[in-house]
């Protein structure tokens, strides 16, 4: 969940100037599509740095990174997209060398720029494609969570809040002759090409359709005489889903939607709830619309839910009574039976 720490890094995207290179996003994908590489470096002391790197296609992690060797880890059979092993190896070496230089820059200047151990540096690089527009590439560097440096229009720009230290680092990076051109090419050409190759290679997986399961439950009581109706949907893919509490054909405006949360298997979960007067809960239904359902919405009625609830309660009560009866009978029977069965032993 590395990416959760880095929203600020993604806030500002830098426009590539590759105007002639307009994108066409393959059919069946919602734009924008993006490929992002995140790296978090934890500098513990002057000789120990830990780093965590990962690659993400939208919200799906596709790559890991072995920081000691610099090796890419391909998390899916299609994680190489349509790049050859040679091209991937070249990229891997490029990143490894840059990573070492990057770490060295911090080590060498830690004292001068007053970086106090331990500190954390985060980077986010990648590209985003919008149909009919030039690709948008970005490189962001943050120190202790605040913006430090970015790459814009073929050169490094330090952010004002980074102060002198960011400016010093910018000058240092700008001295790596020729690298700016390479970064520009990576962002405006290599990254979009890789992204499109990934979408193509992973199409079957990325465009799969998995139906949601839906169920109802009462939520925590909002107060006397009121009910919280909760409609759960889980296990669906892709992420976009429409879930609404309805009375007949009328959408209930008080419907509260939770965040869409990830399940461990890459599918999604969402719950929507509605706070109502107990007397008004009957004839409410939860309606679920999702691309996997082929236009056949799932509709669950609260009435049925509560009658199912009553049936479940009735069954439970019956079972408890029967168990009680069985226990009583058994006890009764053993009491009467035991004296005679024990007699011969005594
Ligand atoms: C850095 O931290 C590691 C692990 O705690 C320790 O083994 C090492 O001696 C430290 N190095 C320095 C220079 O403080
Ligand atoms: C980048 O360059 C374009 C024109 O080439 C210019 O319009 C734009 O303002 C520049 N952006 C920055 C942040 O310098
Ligand atoms: C990979 O696919 C993209 C998009 O279809 C294409 O532009 C590119 O030429 C292909 N091959 C390589 C090696 O990038």
């Amino acid at each position: 969940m590395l990416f959760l720490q880095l929203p600020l890094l993604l806030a500002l995207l830098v426009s590539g100037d590759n105007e002639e290179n307009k994108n066409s996003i393959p059919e069946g994908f919602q734009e924008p599509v993006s490929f992002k590489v995140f790296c978090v470096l934890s500098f513990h002391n002057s000789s120990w740095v830990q780093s965590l790197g990962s690659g993400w296609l939208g919200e799906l992690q596709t790559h890991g990174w072995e920081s000691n060797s610099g090796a890419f880890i391909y998390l899916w059979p299609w994680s190489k997209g349509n790049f050859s092993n040679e091209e991937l190896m070249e990229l891997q070496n490029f990143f490894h060398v840059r990573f070492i230089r990057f770490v060295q820059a911090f080590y060498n200047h830690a004292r001068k720029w007053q970086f106090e151990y331990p500190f954390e540096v985060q980077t986010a690089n990648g590209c985003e494609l919008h149909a009919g527009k030039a690709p948008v590439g970005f490189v962001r560097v943050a120190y202790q969570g605040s913006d430090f440096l970015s790459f814009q229009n073929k050169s490094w720009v330090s952010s004002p809040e980074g102060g002198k230290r960011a400016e010093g680092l910018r000058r240092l990076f700008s001295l790596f002759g020729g690298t700016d051109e390479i970064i520009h090419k990576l962002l405006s050409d290599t990254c979009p090409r890789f992204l499109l190759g990934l979408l193509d290679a992973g199409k079957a997986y990325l465009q799969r359709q998995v139906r949601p399961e839906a169920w109802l439950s009462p939520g925590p009581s909002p107060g006397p005489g009121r009910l919280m109706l909760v409609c759960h949907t889980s296990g669906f893919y892709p992420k976009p889903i429409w879930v609404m509490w309805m009375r007949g054909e009328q959408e209930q405006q008080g419907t509260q939607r939770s965040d869409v949360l990830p399940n461990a298997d890459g599918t999604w979960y969402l719950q929507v709830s509605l706070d109502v007067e107990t007397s008004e809960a009957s004839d409410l239904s939860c309606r679920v619309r999702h691309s996997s359902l082929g236009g056949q919405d799932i509709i669950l009625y609260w009435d049925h839910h509560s009658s199912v609830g009553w049936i479940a309660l009735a069954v439970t009560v019956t079972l408890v009574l029967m168990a009680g009866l069985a226990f009583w009978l058994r006890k009764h029977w053993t009491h009467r039976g035991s004296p005679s069965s024990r007699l011969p032993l005594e």
Side-chain angles (χ1 to χ4, degrees):
M1 290 294 105
L2 202 51
F3 68 103
L4 292 179
Q5 305 167 3
L6 298 159
L8 80 155
L9 296 172
L10 305 177
L12 198 145
L13 303 178
V14 187
S15 182
D17 62 356
N18 206 346
E19 284 302 326
E20 72 281 10
N21 184 7
K22 305 274 200 233
N23 296 295
S24 60
I25 292 176
E27 210 173 309
F29 289 102
Q30 275 210 319
E31 65 165 312
V33 290
S34 64
F35 183 71
K36 294 167 189 158
V37 175
F38 296 112
C39 191
V40 177
L41 297 117
S42 305
F43 289 83
H44 295 284
N45 63 30
S46 61
S47 62
W48 184 30
V49 59
Q50 263 183 321
S51 49
L52 255 180
S54 55
W56 298 76
L57 176 62
E59 292 177 290
L60 177 71
Q61 189 180 354
T62 48
H63 297 80
W65 188 57
E66 171 51 60
S67 62
N68 290 328
S69 64
F72 296 158
I73 300 164
Y74 301 97
L75 300 178
W76 299 95
W78 44 268
S79 286
K80 290 184 177 181
N82 65 350
F83 277 28
S84 64
N85 286 335
E86 290 73 39
E87 193 162 8
L88 289 167
M89 197 51 77
E90 210 173 290
L91 283 170
Q92 190 172 299
N93 291 339
F94 175 80
F95 281 118
H96 195 48
V97 169
R98 271 193 60 78
F99 170 74
I100 292 168
R101 274 196 197 168
F102 188 79
V103 169
Q104 213 60 49
F106 278 90
Y107 269 146
N108 291 346
H109 298 85
R111 191 167 301 163
K112 182 167 140 207
W113 292 333
Q114 292 163 0
F115 291 130
E116 303 242 354
Y117 295 107
F119 62 87
E120 199 167 84
V121 175
Q122 302 157 320
T123 69
N125 321 315
C127 58
E128 192 168 87
L129 307 185
H130 298 258
K133 294 195 183 137
V136 176
F138 57 93
V139 176
R140 312 272 291 164
V141 180
Y143 167 74
Q144 299 288 56
S146 46
D147 282 345
F148 213 57
L149 278 185
S150 60
F151 189 82
Q152 299 180 11
N153 280 359
K154 302 191 189 179
S155 56
W156 289 99
V157 178
S158 56
S159 73
E161 63 259 50
K164 268 196 198 144
R165 301 190 286 193
E167 181 51 25
L169 198 65
R170 184 197 67 76
R171 267 196 240 122
L172 192 69
F173 282 7
S174 305
L175 285 180
F176 297 158
T179 317
D180 292 358
E181 274 302 322
I182 299 176
I183 296 174
H184 179 72
K185 183 157 187 293
L186 277 175
L187 295 179
S188 60
D189 174 59
T190 315
C191 179
R193 244 182 337 112
F194 184 64
L195 169 52
L196 290 173
L198 267 188
L199 292 181
D200 192 47
K203 193 159 56 189
Y205 181 76
L206 298 167
Q207 296 192 341
R208 74 198 192 282
Q209 293 284 334
V210 190
R211 296 166 63 95
E213 267 186 68
W215 69 96
L216 306 179
S217 76
S221 171
R226 303 194 68 82
L227 269 179
M228 183 64 81
L229 317 186
V230 185
C231 179
H232 309 256
T233 49
S234 188
F236 55 90
Y237 188 92
K239 194 177 180 182
I241 192 167
W242 182 90
V243 186
M244 188 57 82
W245 279 102
M246 314 281 291
R247 191 182 303 280
E249 287 301 309
Q250 204 178 0
E251 295 177 16
Q252 298 301 292
Q253 295 309 321
T255 300
Q256 301 273 343
R257 197 181 148 106
S258 74
D259 289 334
V260 180
L261 302 173
N263 284 324
D265 63 357
T267 62
W268 297 96
Y269 171 87
L270 171 74
Q271 71 177 48
V272 306
S273 45
L274 185 67
D275 172 355
V276 290
E277 300 268 358
T278 307
S279 56
E280 290 179 353
S282 63
D283 79 358
L284 280 168
S285 61
C286 173
R287 186 164 194 147
V288 182
R289 198 168 287 161
H290 187 258
S291 53
S292 63
L293 297 170
Q296 298 269 302
D297 296 354
I298 297 176
I299 302 174
L300 298 175
Y301 292 91
W302 182 258
D303 271 351
H304 295 193
H305 159 77
S306 36
S307 54
V308 168
W310 282 114
I311 292 166
L313 185 65
V315 169
T316 313
V317 168
T318 312
L319 284 177
V320 167
L321 286 178
M322 281 169 65
L325 187 67
F327 181 72
W328 182 81
L329 282 174
R330 188 164 159 267
K331 210 169 144 190
H332 214 69
W333 185 81
T334 28
H335 263 275
R336 278 204 307 195
S338 52
S340 56
S341 62
R342 268 195 212 146
L343 271 178
L345 297 172
E346 282 168 355

